[in-house]
Amino acid sequence: MIMERALLVTVDSGRKTAWTAEERSAELAELAVSAGAKVARSLIVHRHEPSSASFIGSGKAQEIAAIRASEKIGVVIFNNDLSASQQKNLEEAIGTKTIDRTQLILDIFARRAHSNEGKLQVELAQLSYLLPRLTGKGIELSRQGGGIGTSGPGEQKLEMDRRRIRDKISHLKKSLIALGRRRAMMRRSRSRFSALTIAIVGYTNVGKSTLINALTDSDVIVRDKLFATLDPTVRKFILPNKQKVLFVDTVGFINDLPYHLVEAFKATLEEVTEADLLLHLVDAGHPKLIEQASAVYDVLKEIGSAEKPVITVINKADKATDPAVIARIRAHFKNAVVISALKRSGFDALIAAIMDRMSGMTAVIDIKIPASDAKTLSLIHENGLIKSQEYIGDELHIVAEVSIRLRDALGSSYFRS
Ligand SMILES: Nc1nc2c(ncn2[C@@H]2O[C@H](COP(=O)(O)OP(=O)(O)OP(=O)(O)O)[C@@H](O)[C@H]2O)c(=O)[nH]1
Ligand SMILES: [Mg+2]
């Protein structure tokens, strides 16, 4: 892959926000690297109000054009959303491909999408982003040779007009609804009545996949890149009390996650909204971990999962060499558990915290089922803890600890006490 030389532009309006312009610029650089670019230069432009024509003003655009020429810049990436006309004007003034942060993130997602569902979700997000920005006759998607901000989910070169894009969007939505139904069915069959599900959530790159791998001996891809994981992975885990739970690893979040992505990834994000418990991982070694955590809460709110039971897990404790740092983080997140997914330390405390939280989510059932009902018997065996079982005539008397959900599901047919 050709590493494109990128010039990054962050506008500092002078207003006070949770992230300084330098911090936002640093994150944009990580995103650019994750998209396969080489960051040649990062600029911070001080401007109180954006120019409606060219965002940074024509004088600045000319300065950037000069840098572009002398430093062989292949792409200019703006940290703010650009309107269609701003983008076009900037491209003309600077003389090279110019994209914004949302396009960059969509591009990373396009590169990472492997599953059919993931690809459709990314394509939907890309087209929804493009539609209101279309000018003139249409737009050329997926320019030949690919490149940052231009990768389509497929390799095909497409020329589409507005109507065709609208048709395509509604077609994609339909396909995704069908896939979403299938996903929901799979989820139901694996957990609805049975095992409790624990979703690992957090800012991108905090170590979610490393944790699920360490806990369950899996091989989810781990990268020191943003958005390494797109497709959710579900893995079984047996707690020390023999109770079966399922861990779900899924896509990471980011500050100002593009709205179109949240919309398009609804089905994937349902793995979070349907979970019984969230492990919210934070990166102890990251200078912006508090702000990252609040960005995660913003996304959780958006998908309606802010009220779910959550355990905050301070990961990468090995990176924080000064114990005062961990103490400060602990003071911020009440009842947090401190671990290192990489060094596999702190897991006992993490599992104890999970069992503690789950104790309220299980119940002891005392039921009699027909001895011939092998299906119910295996459901309880697989997903609960049998305390006693005894045949009485042609009935089987079982006492077992199961999830509240399984109890309720059984209750409709057999529950006795
Ligand atoms: N030092 C240290 N590094 C860790 C730890 N856990 C994960 N990492 C590193 O952090 C980087 C990101 O890890 P991942 O597991 O891919 O993170 P993720 O949260 O799944 O990231 P996305 O899927 O991109 O959202 C990798 O380089 C890991 O090796 C840890 O406990 N300590
Ligand atoms: Mg991951």
Side-chain angles (χ1 to χ4, degrees):
M1 182 180 45
I2 310 155
M3 290 272 248
E4 223 166 346
R5 289 172 61 79
L7 171 79
L8 311 186
V9 183
T10 298
V11 171
D12 183 1
S13 69
R15 282 182 280 269
K16 224 178 138 34
T17 48
W19 303 68
T20 65
E22 286 76 14
E23 289 160 350
R24 285 190 297 121
S25 178
E27 185 170 271
L28 186 67
E30 279 186 64
L31 284 166
V33 169
S34 297
K38 187 172 175 351
V39 178
R41 192 82 98 86
S42 287
L43 296 182
I44 291 179
V45 174
H46 298 274
R47 191 177 172 107
H48 193 63
E49 294 297 336
S51 135
S52 60
S54 63
F55 203 76
I56 48 172
S58 54
K60 266 287 165 210
Q62 253 140 44
E63 272 176 48
I64 292 174
I67 302 174
R68 194 241 352 126
S70 65
E71 300 200 17
K72 299 190 175 61
I73 302 295
V75 59
V76 178
I77 307 171
F78 278 77
N79 216 342
N80 311 68
D81 276 341
L82 300 174
S83 70
S85 63
Q86 286 168 338
Q87 181 174 9
K88 188 168 152 281
N89 293 339
L90 282 165
E91 256 180 20
E92 270 165 22
I94 299 171
T96 192
K97 182 169 56 190
T98 301
I99 64 169
D100 63 19
R101 181 177 180 269
T102 295
Q103 271 174 292
L104 178 65
I105 294 175
L106 290 173
D107 191 68
I108 299 173
F109 272 66
R111 282 157 189 268
R112 303 281 195 278
H114 296 298
S115 70
N116 186 24
E117 187 180 29
K119 285 179 184 158
L120 295 178
Q121 287 173 324
V122 172
E123 198 177 357
L124 174 61
Q126 287 181 319
L127 294 179
S128 312
Y129 171 84
L130 282 173
L131 188 62
R133 278 157 221 268
L134 284 188
T135 49
K137 70 177 173 59
I139 195 152
E140 191 182 305
L141 297 172
S142 181
R143 288 172 224 190
Q144 204 123 49
I148 294 140
T150 57
S151 304
E155 286 305 305
Q156 80 273 42
K157 188 173 146 79
L158 297 170
E159 280 267 336
M160 284 207 234
D161 61 22
R162 228 184 237 103
R163 216 199 66 199
R164 278 196 51 206
I165 291 188
R166 267 199 211 99
D167 288 350
K168 181 87 191 173
I169 286 178
S170 74
H171 178 74
L172 283 168
K173 280 187 179 158
K174 274 189 208 125
S175 310
L176 281 169
I177 287 170
L179 284 172
R181 275 201 206 105
R182 181 131 44 100
R183 174 178 288 288
M185 238 158 66
M186 269 161 49
R187 190 166 47 236
R188 220 165 288 143
S189 72
R190 75 173 185 243
S191 75
R192 167 94 182 275
F193 305 122
S194 52
L196 292 165
T197 306
I198 305 167
I200 306 173
V201 298
Y203 212 76
T204 177
N205 212 38
V206 292
K208 299 178 294 298
S209 301
T210 307
L211 178 62
I212 200 170
N213 286 347
L215 285 172
T216 68
D217 280 323
S218 308
D219 52 3
V220 179
I221 291 174
V222 167
R223 287 282 147 74
D224 193 10
K225 282 193 170 177
L226 307 190
F227 302 116
T229 307
L230 281 200
D231 296 320
T233 302
V234 183
R235 290 287 179 271
K236 189 170 89 175
F237 183 77
I238 310 290
L239 292 171
N241 66 358
K242 301 280 185 293
Q243 192 187 338
K244 178 175 129 186
V245 293
L246 298 169
F247 280 105
V248 184
D249 174 33
T250 183
V251 58
F253 301 160
I254 197 166
N255 191 33
D256 289 330
L257 188 63
Y259 164 78
H260 294 305
L261 273 176
V262 179
E263 276 297 296
F265 273 68
K266 254 191 207 135
T268 294
L269 290 168
E270 263 174 28
E271 299 295 347
V272 173
T273 55
E274 298 280 312
D276 298 290
L277 172 66
L278 306 181
L279 296 188
H280 176 194
L281 254 65
V282 298
D283 176 349
H286 201 286
K288 298 298 284 180
L289 83 160
I290 308 273
E291 289 78 8
Q292 289 187 339
S294 73
V296 169
Y297 275 107
D298 287 344
V299 180
L300 289 177
K301 252 184 244 149
E302 228 175 300
I303 62 174
S305 295
E307 306 300 321
K308 273 197 187 294
V310 51
I311 299 174
T312 305
V313 181
I314 301 167
N315 187 33
K316 307 199 188 182
D318 59 291
K319 273 171 76 182
T321 38
D322 181 359
V325 171
I326 297 286
R328 230 179 3 249
I329 303 171
R330 262 189 191 281
H332 185 86
F333 299 103
K334 301 276 173 283
N335 303 319
V337 182
V338 180
I339 67 161
S340 165
L342 192 70
K343 307 264 187 254
R344 301 181 178 225
S345 67
F347 285 9
D348 289 350
L350 174 59
I351 286 163
I354 290 172
M355 296 210 319
D356 186 48
R357 276 308 184 85
M358 298 225 127
S359 60
M361 299 176 193
T362 61
V364 173
I365 54 167
D366 181 335
I367 61 171
K368 294 191 185 75
I369 62 170
S372 58
D373 186 357
K375 205 169 146 218
T376 302
L377 182 60
S378 79
L379 200 60
I380 298 171
H381 263 275
E382 260 171 47
N383 301 297
L385 270 177
I386 305 275
K387 305 219 180 262
S388 71
Q389 76 180 47
E390 189 189 354
Y391 285 95
I392 303 170
D394 55 4
E395 276 194 327
L396 184 57
H397 179 194
I398 304 176
V399 179
E401 185 174 350
V402 298
S403 69
I404 304 264
R405 259 177 304 151
L406 180 53
R407 179 200 66 185
D408 293 346
L410 292 170
S412 52
S413 42
Y414 298 117
F415 190 50
R416 298 276 189 273
S417 60

